[in-house]
Amino acid sequence: MGGTVSKVVRFDDEEEFLEEMKATMEVLDELSMKYGGARVIEGLILWDSIAVRDDEDVKVFRIGQFQFVRGALKLDIEPLMKLERFMDEMESKRDELSVEDIRYFVDIMNEALGEERVYYDAYDLGLDRNEAYMIINLRALQYLDHVVDVEDREAFEWALNTLMKYL
């Protein structure tokens, strides 16, 4: 990942942060596609992001979103039901959960599954509630800064300013 920088970012309002990051990523991705550049924001791991390895690949979701991922997981019914039971319990306690609690649930899930299929990188990255780990491709950002024309400059600068708000 040459030319990238990783940064833990903090936010006060999770919903506002997510909305702004979604819009920022959409603008930067659209400009990257239009001007032939790479993705500027290469990764974003939220404090409550969990990954599950199924029979095909790894799927990432947030606590409370398991119902949306469940249909996409390629797992036998028994491990899927075990995961669902733990995810429902975590979701019911979401407001009180700490990263240590999530890590504990992930360990229990892996033990119940008999293998390591659930991952929680936020704990290893040292994240806490209202924090995210962001990977930014500085080369892609610099490239866009040099090639974006006048017609797209305002959108680029808005996205850059929004990104800088958290950095």
Side-chain angles (χ1 to χ4, degrees):
M1 282 198 241
T4 62
V5 65
S6 303
K7 173 94 170 105
V8 173
V9 297
R10 290 166 181 74
F11 45 87
D12 294 322
D13 184 331
E14 189 170 295
E15 286 186 40
E16 177 184 343
F17 172 76
L18 292 173
E19 287 175 21
E20 289 182 338
M21 283 301 101
K22 181 181 178 191
T24 299
M25 291 171 79
E26 286 174 358
V27 168
L28 293 173
D29 287 350
E30 184 178 310
L31 293 173
S32 292
M33 287 188 334
K34 181 176 180 176
Y35 291 97
R39 290 192 85 185
V40 173
I41 300 175
E42 292 185 353
L44 182 66
I45 299 172
L46 295 160
W47 72 276
D48 64 347
S49 296
I50 293 179
V52 175
R53 178 178 47 84
D54 64 8
D55 296 334
E56 294 179 350
D57 59 4
V58 176
K59 305 209 172 43
V60 179
F61 59 95
R62 298 183 64 212
I63 292 174
Q65 296 178 333
F66 187 73
Q67 68 273 16
F68 303 116
V69 175
R70 183 178 188 252
L73 286 172
K74 306 293 185 232
L75 289 172
D76 292 335
I77 191 71
E78 185 180 330
L80 195 58
M81 297 306 287
K82 287 179 183 179
L83 286 174
E84 186 168 29
R85 189 173 61 246
F86 286 112
M87 295 299 176
D88 287 347
E89 187 174 344
M90 273 196 299
E91 184 177 356
S92 71
K93 300 176 182 182
R94 187 182 192 288
D95 291 338
E96 299 97 40
L97 282 177
S98 69
V99 290
E100 290 80 13
D101 295 331
I102 297 170
R103 179 72 209 167
Y104 174 75
F105 273 101
V106 168
D107 289 342
I108 290 175
M109 283 186 266
N110 284 327
E111 189 175 308
L113 294 170
E115 63 180 313
E116 190 172 1
R117 281 195 176 263
V118 185
Y119 307 98
Y120 182 54
D121 291 336
Y123 179 80
D124 298 330
L125 292 168
L127 298 182
D128 206 349
R129 187 176 277 273
N130 292 335
E131 292 182 341
Y133 182 80
M134 191 177 301
I135 303 167
I136 301 167
N137 184 328
L138 295 176
R139 289 183 182 159
L141 188 60
Q142 183 179 25
Y143 171 78
L144 282 179
D145 187 34
H146 286 87
V147 299
V148 169
D149 61 25
V150 174
E151 135 187 337
D152 294 322
R153 180 58 57 180
E154 185 176 332
F156 174 75
E157 288 181 5
W158 173 87
L160 183 59
N161 288 332
T162 304
L163 185 60
M164 294 306 293
K165 171 181 171 181
Y166 294 102
L167 296 178

